[in-house]
């Protein structure tokens, strides 16, 4: 079992930046690729970014590419999502997940409870 707890969400203005965190506990953190997904009201959960177990490989959704950076610190059991140039359409609950590296929800076995990110226009 892996427990994931997100934090760092909040309200930010359009064009602003925010860094959200996901702390993991339980099984060995470096055994898992990590992903960030988001879900806006009335929409399906969608892929945002993913990072390999070592941190050397990353992937991003086209909608956030160039504005978002995923990183991890295996010594601290933490994965980060740095978001810049935020837009109102980035407003969503952001979830971190642990599993196999990929862009599909089904590739991730463990999920956090989410953290709300709201971008005001």
């Amino acid at each position: 079992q892996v427990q994931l707890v997100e934090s760092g969400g909040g309200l930010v203005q359009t064009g602003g930046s925010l860094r959200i965190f996901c702390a993991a506990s339980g099984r060995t953190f470096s055994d898992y690729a990590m992903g960030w997904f988001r879900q806006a009201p009335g929409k399906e959960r969608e892929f945002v970014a993913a990072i390999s177990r070592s941190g050397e490989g990353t992937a991003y959704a086209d909608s956030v590419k160039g504005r978002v950076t995923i990183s991890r610190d295996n010594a601290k059991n933490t994965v980060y999502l740095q978001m810049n140039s935020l837009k109102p359409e980035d407003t969503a609950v952001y979830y971190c997940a642990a599993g196999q590296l990929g862009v599909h929800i089904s590739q991730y076995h463990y999920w956090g409870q989410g953290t709300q990110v709201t971008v005001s226009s």
Side-chain angles (χ1 to χ4, degrees):
Q1 287 281 358
V2 176
Q3 291 77 43
L4 303 171
V5 179
E6 301 94 336
S7 61
L11 176 64
V12 63
Q13 292 185 336
T14 296
S17 297
L18 199 63
R19 193 186 198 198
I20 58 177
F21 309 79
C22 175
S25 61
R27 297 187 65 178
T28 305
F29 180 65
S30 57
D31 284 349
Y32 298 93
M34 298 297 296
W36 283 100
F37 290 76
R38 67 185 182 187
Q39 188 165 17
K43 295 188 177 181
E44 295 185 351
R45 192 169 299 189
E46 65 176 4
F47 170 76
V48 176
I51 190 165
S52 65
R53 293 180 295 173
S54 67
E56 292 182 354
T58 58
Y60 297 94
D62 288 343
S63 59
V64 303
K65 199 171 293 183
R67 301 189 296 118
V68 164
T69 302
I70 187 172
S71 60
R72 68 188 294 164
D73 185 337
N74 286 344
K76 295 183 178 180
N77 292 353
T78 302
V79 61
Y80 308 92
L81 190 70
Q82 175 68 45
M83 301 182 287
N84 302 321
S85 301
L86 283 162
K87 307 174 182 180
E89 50 264 43
D90 293 318
T91 295
V93 176
Y94 283 72
Y95 299 90
C96 74
Q100 298 177 341
L101 186 63
V103 304
H104 301 291
I105 291 173
S106 60
Q107 293 173 287
Y108 295 86
H109 313 300
Y110 302 103
W111 293 82
Q113 82 291 346
T115 186
Q116 177 71 47
V117 172
T118 303
V119 184
S120 63
S121 57

